[in-house]
Amino acid sequence: MKSLEANFDGIVGPTHNYAGLSEGNVASLSNAKASSNPKQAALQGLKKMKALHDMGLVQGVIAPQERPDIYALKRLGFTGTDAQVVDAAYKVSPAILASCCSASSMWTANAATVSPSADTLDGKVHFTAANLANKFHRSLEPETTTNILQSIFNNDDYFCHHQHLPDNEHFGDEGAANHTRLCTQYTDTGLEIFTYGRNAFRRNMPEPTKFPARQTKEASQAIARLHGVSDKNSVFVQQNPAVIDQGVFHNDVIAVGNQNVLFYHEQAYLNTAAFKQEVIEKFMGDSLYFIEASTDDVSIQDAVNTYLFNTQLVTLSNGEMAIIAPMHCQENRRVFDYVQSVVAAENPITKLAFFDVNESMKNGGGPACLRLRVTLTPKELSAVNSNCILNDDLYIKLVAWVNKHYRDQLVLNDLRDPQLVIESRTALDELTQLLALGAVYQFQRE
Ligand code: SUG
């Protein structure tokens, strides 16, 4: 029995809204203050998960975080009952309240970096939750992310969980969105590619001038050290600062890898030739496919608007690969023609499927943002909390749970509603029972 790659998607939380919180993320800023539909967002996500399950892939779920984050608001000096805390925060700054209400944990590509056991010194699967230090609303995630991951991957024989890196921009870490892995079979030791946006401790190095580079080289190196990934199995490569300035705030907005395929835009990296050379030298398999889109094929603007590279590249049970793309790629003629030419060309990709994840896209999160990849051996898979693995029954239960608890409209003013705290906690409490997660939230631990 061989290892496989499971996708753990984030369930969209009940407070999903558009608050314009992410500078450097074009969609987040342009949809700021739009009205959201949390119910539809969660159902769109579940539908994608179910489709991947139906394709024969192992699909897991990761619970959303508790929002509004009353504890974060209390740390900021707002006092009183939950309703008073929410109201006081709104009066001081609607943006602070909105930050503490964001459902951003849905983008589990940012939840953690995961190194499969085949790559690590001690032969365990290593997890480090991302500190997401660059954005206040996202920096609230790592503790609960760690709790949830520990509850899903709860077996010390197979899994090793690390505390997130120090909460500082010097070690800004955005998780698997800046990490991909190449291998021949998932069972093999892979080549882990760590992509960073800037150096934290070295001055006068290239970095973007307009938008923030969220991930530092020092953070990526720390993760590799913690996980016991050796130099010969890792490559550290800098993102092209010019594309960060055009809205490529994570590398997974412009590149995706799977097994022996790296699909990316020619402008993705700072020094592509040297990067490719290092990958070729270190890759241990024989046939490696670099599928490089030129700027003539796809402009950076089209890549950012359609999330062509934020597609999931998955291996089906027959060994062929499929691209799981957002509908935006179908709606843009140039991108649609290009992606079809990729599927028709001589490479392992033979299938293409489009999904409507528009509620997430409007905040800058495509199909690949919504999932955390975890490569597992059969033994490791059997040690995973099976209640978090999607099957037909769990899908039906989760859809019913969303329909019961979620609103179908949320605007910023609604975040003041004290009822939202109660609704959200009631929903999450029920979900932890459904997924047998235990008390992962602070409100359950009091
Ligand atoms: O961190 N958007 C997220 C999108 C994350 C996408 N993930 C990956 N590329 N892997 C972010 O910028 C917007 C929230 C708001 O504006 O309401 C937000 O957090």
Side-chain angles (χ1 to χ4, degrees):
M1 284 278 277
K2 289 181 177 165
S3 300
L4 52 81
E5 184 180 270
N7 288 289
F8 283 79
D9 278 44
I11 299 174
V12 179
T15 60
H16 160 64
N17 71 90
Y18 301 118
L21 301 175
S22 282
E23 191 209 355
N25 171 341
V26 176
S28 154
L29 289 198
S30 51
N31 290 304
K33 301 193 171 54
S35 158
S36 67
N37 185 333
K39 185 179 282 182
Q40 196 175 37
L43 294 176
Q44 285 173 349
L46 285 170
K47 210 164 167 185
K48 175 175 86 72
M49 297 183 218
K50 175 69 162 61
L52 266 67
H53 160 73
D54 290 345
M55 287 179 194
L57 296 162
V58 174
Q59 179 67 57
V61 299
I62 295 186
Q65 304 220 347
E66 180 197 351
R67 297 289 181 274
D69 188 341
I70 297 293
Y71 305 93
L73 291 168
K74 285 187 172 167
R75 277 178 70 194
L76 297 175
F78 299 109
T79 54
T81 61
D82 293 346
Q84 286 165 338
V85 165
V86 166
D87 190 53
Y90 186 85
K91 283 185 180 134
V92 168
S93 162
I96 293 180
L97 178 62
S99 296
C100 294
C101 288
S102 177
S104 55
S105 68
M106 71 171 87
W107 300 296
T108 51
N110 305 118
T113 306
V114 184
S115 296
S117 53
D119 301 356
T120 62
L121 211 59
D122 63 1
K124 293 186 185 183
V125 186
H126 284 249
F127 300 81
T128 303
N131 62 19
L132 300 166
N134 184 260
K135 299 276 178 273
F136 168 60
H137 69 291
R138 303 222 59 184
S139 72
L140 303 174
E141 296 173 32
E143 278 91 4
T144 302
T145 298
T146 303
N147 291 345
I148 294 175
L149 291 176
Q150 279 174 338
S151 174
I152 300 175
F153 303 96
N154 182 12
N155 186 315
D156 293 344
D157 291 340
Y158 298 117
F159 308 123
C160 177
H161 297 270
H162 303 274
Q163 188 186 357
H164 62 279
L165 298 182
D167 301 276
N168 186 284
E169 287 233 34
H170 279 79
F171 287 98
D173 174 27
E174 300 280 317
N178 291 322
H179 177 252
T180 198
R181 175 178 189 263
L182 301 177
C183 59
T184 302
Q185 298 295 333
Y186 291 121
T187 309
D188 305 332
T189 298
L191 180 60
E192 298 201 9
I193 301 175
F194 294 85
T195 309
Y196 59 90
R198 68 183 179 96
N199 286 262
F201 290 92
R202 287 178 66 194
R203 287 162 185 241
N204 303 322
M205 299 294 283
E207 51 180 86
T209 53
K210 191 173 162 202
F211 291 143
R214 299 193 197 184
Q215 178 97 26
T216 67
K217 182 175 188 179
E218 290 82 351
S220 299
Q221 289 171 326
I223 300 286
R225 263 193 308 275
L226 286 165
H227 290 195
V229 177
S230 75
D231 284 347
K232 66 178 199 314
N233 300 327
S234 52
V235 175
F236 296 87
V237 58
Q238 184 164 359
Q239 258 194 293
N240 179 358
V243 298
I244 296 180
D245 278 340
Q246 292 169 74
V248 181
F249 56 99
H250 289 135
N251 178 246
D252 71 0
V253 175
I254 198 139
V256 56
N258 178 48
Q259 290 191 314
N260 58 345
V261 175
L262 187 66
F263 177 39
Y264 62 101
H265 193 279
E266 65 172 348
Q267 293 191 55
Y269 305 102
L270 187 58
N271 187 344
T272 310
F275 165 60
K276 280 171 72 176
Q277 191 52 39
E278 191 176 347
V279 169
I280 290 165
E281 279 163 18
K282 291 184 170 175
F283 184 71
M284 278 158 287
D286 23 63
S287 53
L288 182 60
Y289 292 83
F290 289 105
I291 305 180
E292 182 176 293
S294 71
T295 308
D296 283 346
D297 293 326
V298 181
S299 67
I300 298 297
Q301 200 184 359
D302 277 347
V304 170
N305 289 340
T306 64
Y307 269 37
L308 166 66
F309 301 95
N310 199 264
T311 44
Q312 290 179 251
L313 196 50
V314 296
T315 303
L316 305 170
S317 45
N318 63 5
E320 295 176 0
M321 292 191 198
I323 293 186
I324 308 298
M327 266 172 33
H328 299 59
C329 294
Q330 201 173 18
E331 288 157 4
N332 177 316
R333 191 75 235 174
R334 292 178 301 275
V335 169
F336 184 56
D337 289 347
Y338 174 71
V339 73
Q340 282 193 311
S341 76
V342 168
V343 176
E346 191 53 44
N347 64 49
I349 306 171
T350 58
K351 289 199 168 48
L352 178 59
F354 297 100
F355 287 89
D356 180 0
V357 286
N358 196 34
E359 283 285 323
S360 165
M361 286 287 283
K362 281 167 73 181
N363 250 341
C369 300
L370 287 161
R371 62 94 170 92
L372 181 67
R373 298 189 278 185
V374 188
T375 296
L376 297 163
T377 64
K379 275 192 177 157
E380 289 159 359
L381 179 60
S382 63
V384 173
N385 176 345
S386 60
N387 299 283
C388 294
I389 302 292
L390 197 76
N391 53 32
D392 294 349
D393 181 47
L394 180 60
Y395 176 72
I396 291 168
K397 286 185 176 142
L398 288 173
V399 168
W401 171 80
V402 169
N403 281 323
K404 175 174 165 197
H405 294 285
Y406 281 50
R407 299 189 185 188
D408 54 18
Q409 191 190 333
L410 211 53
V411 291
L412 286 182
N413 198 41
D414 297 327
L415 303 177
R416 306 176 74 170
D417 180 357
Q419 193 56 32
L420 199 57
V421 182
I422 298 163
E423 278 172 33
S424 171
R425 285 184 178 170
T426 308
L428 294 184
D429 205 37
E430 203 175 300
L431 184 68
T432 49
Q433 290 164 42
L434 214 59
L435 303 179
L437 284 176
V440 289
Y441 302 114
Q442 207 162 337
F443 78 90
Q444 296 173 313
R445 295 179 166 197
E446 286 183 327

